[in-house]
Amino acid sequence: DEFISYKKLIKRRELGEPIAYILNRKEFWKNTFFVDRNVLIPRPDTEVIIEEILKLISKDEKKFILDIGTGSGCIIISIANERPKLICTAIDISKKALKVAKINAKMHHIKNRIKFYNSSVDNFFKGKYDLIVSNPPYISNLKIKYLEKDIIGYEPLVSLRGGPDGSSVLNKVIKRSSSLIKIGGKLVLEIGYDQKYKIMCLLKKENFYINKLVKDYAGNDRCIIATKL
């Protein structure tokens, strides 16, 4: 029975299904997260966001933090695990993704510390935040078809499609964050390797000061940190 089961798993991988979906788990930061095909698989490059946010918030600070497009919840949960006094909110347009995020929050014993909302960024008006983080879709629609087959064949494309030039959703996140964030609050965004100039212009237009641009493990521009003026 085990051998037959093993052969089925190998067949799924042979067809291109990512191992994280086959096993329903993926390691990220210091923990293991439940994942299925309703959420993007957490990437090591996104861990630079966690590193940078932990530099911005000390362990005993009580701050309000919002995660836009939470997906599996890996970002907000990783931060909440490290900073026990944070008051956390997470939103996602996908009800199925939120279900996964809630499973992970329960698994990491912090489900009572994060409020989850099924909402697009355009329609979210609750609260004022000290820090907003987002890893939104930022791949241009034209480039989607050139991604590896295990990505386009299995991962949710709604979490990847960033519009004609890849910045459509980022633009919405920046505009909405401009109203949701407190003066002096920080906005931390994951961006595409070729988007820094465009995103910096969008941020300045919405009255943000650019603090820092952070590279990922491959040396590509991956994270931008800005302060609301």
Side-chain angles (χ1 to χ4, degrees):
D1 287 348
E2 284 184 6
F3 181 65
I4 290 165
S5 175
Y6 175 71
K7 278 180 75 175
K8 284 179 183 173
L9 297 178
I10 293 295
K11 185 65 182 173
R12 285 168 66 183
R13 182 65 192 128
E14 184 189 358
L15 293 170
E17 187 173 353
I19 290 172
Y21 290 152
I22 295 171
L23 300 178
N24 286 123
R25 68 173 186 266
K26 178 68 178 175
E27 287 69 37
F28 178 83
W29 193 242
K30 298 176 182 177
N31 298 293
T32 299
F33 289 86
F34 171 79
V35 292
D36 63 19
R37 289 178 61 177
N38 294 302
V39 296
L40 276 187
I41 297 166
R43 266 69 168 173
D45 286 334
T46 300
E47 291 179 352
V48 300
I49 285 181
I50 312 298
E51 288 176 14
E52 293 303 318
I53 290 175
L54 294 181
K55 290 175 192 173
L56 295 170
I57 303 171
S58 64
K59 272 203 166 171
D60 57 350
E61 280 187 293
K62 182 182 176 182
K63 295 210 174 223
F64 292 86
I65 180 171
L66 170 66
D67 181 13
I68 296 173
T70 195
S72 65
C74 65
I75 292 176
I76 195 79
I77 291 167
S78 297
I79 296 163
N81 271 332
E82 300 268 357
R83 299 290 182 264
K85 293 192 177 178
L86 289 183
I87 297 145
C88 305
T89 302
I91 68 170
D92 203 286
I93 202 165
S94 163
K95 284 183 180 177
K96 290 179 178 177
L98 281 178
K99 194 174 177 183
V100 172
K102 286 174 183 177
I103 288 169
N104 282 315
K106 187 176 180 181
M107 200 163 81
H108 290 96
H109 310 293
I110 55 169
K111 67 173 184 175
N112 296 329
R113 288 185 50 212
I114 305 174
K115 286 184 180 176
F116 291 99
Y117 294 97
N118 178 215
S119 174
S120 68
V121 65
D122 296 335
N123 297 317
F124 189 73
F125 302 95
K126 292 179 188 292
K128 282 278 186 182
Y129 300 90
D130 299 290
L131 188 144
I132 294 177
V133 60
S134 185
N135 176 15
Y138 54 72
I139 298 171
S140 74
N141 294 350
L142 290 171
K143 289 181 182 174
I144 292 282
K145 62 184 175 185
Y146 299 111
L147 295 173
E148 294 91 337
K149 68 170 186 176
D150 57 341
I151 295 176
I152 55 173
Y154 292 91
E155 298 201 59
L157 296 184
V158 69
S159 302
L160 297 166
R161 279 198 193 103
D165 67 352
S167 67
S168 298
V169 184
L170 273 161
N171 193 11
K172 289 179 183 179
V173 169
I174 291 166
K175 282 188 173 177
R176 195 75 211 94
S177 295
S178 183
S179 302
L180 289 167
I181 209 160
K182 296 175 184 176
I183 300 295
K186 294 283 192 290
L187 176 60
V188 182
L189 296 172
E190 180 164 331
I191 60 169
Y193 70 94
D194 56 352
Q195 292 179 322
K196 69 175 177 184
Y197 295 113
K198 182 166 281 187
I199 301 309
M200 283 163 77
C201 286
L202 290 171
L203 285 164
K204 286 172 183 173
K205 195 176 166 187
E206 293 297 327
N207 218 24
F208 282 95
Y209 171 77
I210 315 297
N211 294 102
K212 194 176 181 184
L213 201 66
V214 186
K215 294 186 184 295
D216 61 22
Y217 303 131
N220 296 314
D221 294 318
R222 184 61 60 198
C223 170
I224 194 160
I225 301 166
T227 302
K228 177 64 180 173
L229 298 174

